[in-house]
Amino acid sequence: MISKRHTMSGFGLALAFALALSLPTTAGSGVGSEGDACSKYGSDSLKTLEKISLYAEFYKQKNYDDALVHWKYIFENAPGNSKNTFIRGAKMYSTKIKEAKKAENDSALQVYLDTLIMIYDKRMECFGQRAYVLGTKAYDLYKYRRNKEDYGTIRGYLGESLQEDPKNFKSPWAYSYFWFSRSLWKVDSISDDQLLDDFDLVMSTGRKQLTDLEAALAAATDERKRKSYQAKLDGWNSMLPKMEQMLPRELLTCDRSEEHTSELQSHSDLV
């Protein structure tokens, strides 16, 4: 008997066949090409559809090793097929990173993390959402690789994400952004004023989101939305005090320009 985990379901085969009927069946037929950086079907549409069905089947079974064999073909040849290619790819490689970290296999962890970063970069190229993907990419680097030489780069990713879309900037990203700022300040890579500006930025972003989320929660009737709003509220309510505690106390007595004075005093009252 052939195990289910190594075969495509009948539905998957039928779906691939039905889709194939609507596509040209010869390589180089115009449905994507090797020169298209975000091709939807690549140069061989039939093979692409087969690979999609195979990797999706294994992915549903959480058999990521076998899923990745087929997923890699889609990533390399038809990255524009679906945003799910990147969402699922990131999930699978994040799982591999956690496994490598648990096994203390640093070389494997580095390879998996490099691939995860490639996934995020290609997703931005093919599907946009730059602010969200930059934030996610930077936060994964914060979690999995805190090489000191990368601190400035990762902080830069988070800063871009925050500037481009402050409304959707996540509370863990805000914490990690200020963590990198404080770490760089400790080695004199950024000034006192810059650190305080970063502090003001993340705190004001969090407070604005708290106000908006409280209003959204009060108006929401859908239970799933209410849970989502509440989870975000809880996140910010947890992170804001942590960032206040992270602010070096000696800076609270530093001379600052008038536009920061009142804000600095409010922070002083909280720590």
Side-chain angles (χ1 to χ4, degrees):
M1 179 182 293
I2 300 175
S3 170
K4 173 186 175 183
R5 63 192 293 272
H6 292 291
T7 61
M8 196 189 316
S9 68
F11 175 75
L13 282 167
L15 177 61
F17 180 72
L19 288 171
L21 290 177
S22 65
L23 296 171
T25 58
T26 58
S29 57
V31 184
S33 65
E34 291 183 4
D36 184 355
C38 293
S39 174
K40 190 169 184 178
Y41 293 105
S43 60
D44 188 338
S45 58
L46 284 176
K47 185 172 183 179
T48 295
L49 291 169
E50 178 187 10
K51 292 292 186 180
I52 291 171
S53 294
L54 286 168
Y55 109 74
E57 189 76 14
F58 290 127
Y59 178 85
K60 286 190 295 184
Q61 300 169 25
K62 296 186 177 180
N63 177 3
Y64 295 157
D65 287 339
D66 285 341
L68 284 170
V69 172
H70 305 288
W71 174 91
K72 288 175 183 176
Y73 179 89
I74 307 303
F75 180 73
E76 293 171 358
N77 296 279
N81 185 270
S82 171
K83 188 162 63 176
N84 278 336
T85 301
F86 301 96
I87 295 172
R88 293 171 176 175
K91 182 176 181 179
M92 288 188 285
Y93 273 100
S94 292
T95 299
K96 302 294 285 184
I97 288 169
K98 292 172 185 176
E99 291 172 353
K101 191 173 183 179
K102 185 177 180 180
E104 299 183 351
N105 188 338
D106 291 340
S107 59
L109 189 153
Q110 186 63 52
V111 170
Y112 296 146
L113 183 57
D114 287 345
T115 304
L116 181 61
I117 298 310
M118 287 174 55
I119 291 170
Y120 289 138
D121 289 344
K122 194 66 177 180
R123 175 177 171 176
M124 285 189 284
E125 180 183 354
C126 294
F127 290 96
Q129 293 185 297
R130 176 178 169 81
Y132 172 79
V133 180
L134 266 180
T136 305
K137 169 183 172 178
Y139 188 60
D140 278 350
L141 285 168
Y142 166 76
K143 289 189 295 182
Y144 302 129
R145 184 174 67 195
R146 297 191 199 180
N147 295 338
K148 290 183 178 180
E149 60 269 24
D150 295 330
Y151 282 9
T153 300
I154 301 171
R155 174 179 171 272
Y157 294 152
L158 289 163
E160 287 184 57
S161 177
L162 175 54
Q163 293 289 351
E164 290 182 22
D165 192 9
K167 184 177 180 180
N168 293 301
F169 198 69
K170 296 184 178 183
S171 57
W173 300 355
Y175 178 87
S176 57
Y177 175 70
F178 192 60
W179 185 92
F180 283 116
S181 293
R182 187 177 186 274
S183 297
L184 290 167
W185 169 82
K186 289 171 71 175
V187 294
D188 297 323
S189 291
I190 64 173
S191 67
D192 293 353
D193 279 344
Q194 183 61 64
L195 181 65
L196 288 165
D197 286 346
D198 288 352
F199 178 74
D200 290 346
L201 179 60
V202 292
M203 295 299 288
S204 62
T205 298
R207 287 168 179 157
K208 177 65 167 63
Q209 284 204 33
L210 282 175
T211 299
D212 293 344
L213 287 165
E214 286 167 355
L217 179 62
T221 56
D222 182 83
E223 189 59 28
R224 285 184 298 179
K225 287 184 178 181
R226 289 182 60 84
K227 287 182 178 179
S228 175
Y229 295 146
Q230 187 62 59
K232 292 176 181 178
L233 277 167
D234 292 344
W236 279 111
N237 281 324
S238 172
M239 290 299 175
L240 289 178
K242 291 179 180 178
M243 288 187 288
E244 288 165 356
Q245 293 170 6
M246 208 193 312
L247 181 67
R249 296 184 67 86
E250 61 266 32
L251 293 190
L252 297 177
T253 60
C254 286
D255 292 333
R256 304 210 65 199
S257 56
E258 290 184 4
E259 65 264 26
H260 293 295
T261 301
S262 60
E263 183 68 14
L264 184 59
Q265 182 59 51
S266 69
H267 297 157
S268 179
D269 293 340
L270 290 169
V271 294

